[in-house]
Amino acid sequence: MSYIDGSINRYLFFNEENSYSVIKIKIIDTDEIELTHYEPTIIVCGFFPKLDNFTNYRFHGSVTYHNKYGIQYNATSFERIVDNTYTGLVDYLSSDLFKGIGKKTAERIVDKLGLSALDLIAESKYVLDDIPRINNDLRDSIYLQIVEHRDMEQTLVWLYGFDISPKMAIKIYSVYGNSTIETIKENPYVLMDEVEGIGFRRADEIGLKVGFSYDSPLRIQAVIYYLMNEFMNKYGDTYLERERLIDFTLKYLDNEEFSIDPTLVQSRLDSLIENGRIIQKAEALSLAYLYKAEQFIAKKVLEFDQELDLKGTDLNQFITEFESRNDITYTDAQRKAIITALSHQMTIITGGPGTGKTTVIKGIVDIYAMLHDQKKDKERIALAAPTGKAAKRLAAATEMEANTIHKLLGYDFEGHFNRDSDNPLTQKLIIIDEVSMMDVLLARRLFDAIRYHSQVILVGDANQLPSVGPGDVLHDLIRSDLFSIVKLDIIHRQAEHSNIISLAYDILNQEINRTIFDHYPDRDFMRVREQFVSDKILSEIKHLIQMGYDLLEDIQVLIPVYKGQTGIDRINDLIQQMFNSENKNFNLSYKDKTFYYNDKVMQLVNQPEDNVMNGDQGIVSGITEDDELLVNFSGNIVKYNLKDLDNLTLAYAVSIHKSQGSEYQCVILPMVRSYTIMLKRKLLYTAVTRAKEKLILIGDFEAYKRGVLGQDTPRNTLLRVFLQEEINRKSDSELTIEDFL
């Protein structure tokens, strides 16, 4: 197959639907001898995404002759030619590899020295002497770093050409080293599995640019795996029927207007099953890492189902003593929860808002210390929750240190968990709060790190939304009816008069009455037509601020969808413009995102190297002259360059799922009919129970009604199957997956 190397002279045609392109190319090199008799440009036709100007490409294909347009080149594939580009060099020089160089300084270097800047500096450091703001020390440092990093230079600049951030490029290089380019050209889709933060869309973008066709077997295999991952993360299931997955794949590929043979999808799926990345059992397909996680959890938790011998200890007496010391009176259900937790190896405590779950946890911790004749000791007792805010509330309630589950398990800046079966947790009592938020992957990590003789107490509200990630761990463990479970269902006297809590229980019980419109000091429902809801949200925020509430710390808008007139994205923009406009001149923009100084923002992916996790909220605390954003996450200042801004979003309004584990002084909850496909009872209940002092519902009563009456779709999971299989391993009445399909 012949080739043509060239750069884009101009686009003649580009089909957005199927990416068919007609481009005029300026020829740099070719092995087609006959082309040397023509002008130094040629028309290239083929299916490939929009290519970059000022970048060199190699096209593979053949010369053809068109009756109307004359000589053309039909390209069947293409690849980006490894070459220095202006943006690539600037990104490289302003990356973390070069201390003391920001983007502005990098631009000055490339503007002065051109695309051969690195070679010129390597030959003589003195070429930097005429560049402003570079003193002798910085000059020597740049020179030494360029010489030191010459081996990786070509690779990183090549990666930057794909619009990859310097931080991500270095992460990729750390995995593949000097074989990075070769590896990616051979199969860019390995990035999905081997580099955290690279998903299918980014890997596919790279794959198409280096010449992979839309119907490449490797690409189809990646599409299958990607779609299954997307389905699991969108719906929370841990398995999917084979025919549905094939149907999803064909529909996805058909959107590109290619005729894909279904047998090719079947064979690629079978290949994924053969190499163990997908596991098939009956007609159920599960991603191997999810299948093995649920299977492991089932085996491990059953080892904890033992009653402890307290040698005649009267726990009621200890509880009475604790009540006297702390001026607390427990209900019978709360007493039962404490006794059960202290006398069993694993206990599940569940209950709604106001039922005193945290008060019970405090009693368990203190009485456990009394039983063992010692002070509350973090070396003996571990407290944790899925989010930082939930952990802080747990610490405040127990007057003891509490961590996120990730921190408890030693999650480090490289993304590794340092606590596991080989290096287990040393504490004898482990209490996990807000367990409804814990997905199967985190649960697997947690139980892997717990020793078999430890006591485990799981606390959560089974009526809340399940975890954002796949699985329904708390609900599955409760429904299995295999463990010691205590349900708290009596509202504490301190919460009896909360109109927010009473509304939450009305939602749970699917009770709807006209008192919803009554005005209460802590709750309001304002009936507003959908087209005016966004304006009402803004006016209510203004009113709350006048009452003394802080927009960044106290007020949170919760919305179930991102798009639309009253979606998260638009409401965030409106709030930013109205309440932070004084800082609009201090901003940083990238693609469709603009952040102002003092904006409220949220992290969208785990970034362990900076100790910031998906869902963490922070405040923009600075913007540097080198176009870097500084974000303050509760005292942890994290730096973002332009291409890292994909990891952030505004957080004046967030999704209800993202709000799990958090509480806010004031919650504003729009209710409009365009949400109704999303509005379900658990979602509404979870949103309402985020409010501590004020809950303001704005919108349509019918939307609220549909949400209360909406039926939650149960997740398809395998944990209960594995629990039953473990129990009935030797019996003839074994429960099978078919019973759940």
Side-chain angles (χ1 to χ4, degrees), residues 569 572 593 595 600-602 604 645 647-651:
D569 294 338
N572 266 323
K593 295 184 176 183
F595 298 102
K600 185 178 182 179
V601 296
M602 176 181 282
L604 295 175
L645 296 185
N647 297 344
L648 285 177
T649 188
L650 291 173

Side-chain angles (χ1 to χ4, degrees), residues 599-613:
D599 265 338
K600 185 178 182 179
V601 296
M602 176 181 282
Q603 178 75 10
L604 295 175
V605 297
N606 287 346
Q607 208 163 299
E609 65 272 20
D610 294 312
N611 193 28
V612 59
M613 306 295 286

Side-chain angles (χ1 to χ4, degrees), residues 528-573:
V528 179
R529 291 183 180 179
E530 183 163 353
Q531 61 265 41
F532 303 119
V533 165
S534 57
D535 290 336
K536 190 62 176 173
I537 291 171
L538 297 177
S539 67
E540 284 304 307
I541 291 175
K542 184 176 180 180
H543 179 62
L544 289 170
I545 292 172
Q546 290 170 347
M547 292 175 63
Y549 290 104
D550 184 87
L551 174 61
L552 302 181
E553 297 294 332
D554 301 327
I555 304 168
Q556 187 64 61
V557 182
L558 299 181
I559 299 176
V561 300
Y562 282 87
K563 303 302 179 185
Q565 186 179 14
T566 48
I568 291 169
D569 294 338
R570 181 170 183 266
I571 297 301
N572 266 323
D573 288 341

Side-chain angles (χ1 to χ4, degrees), residues 6 20 127 164 175 194 257 295 353 356 387 461 502 504 578 701 722:
Y20 182 74
V127 297
I164 291 173
V175 175
E194 297 173 357
E257 296 190 1
Q295 196 174 52
T387 68
D461 185 348
S502 65
M578 175 168 278
F701 173 71
F722 292 136

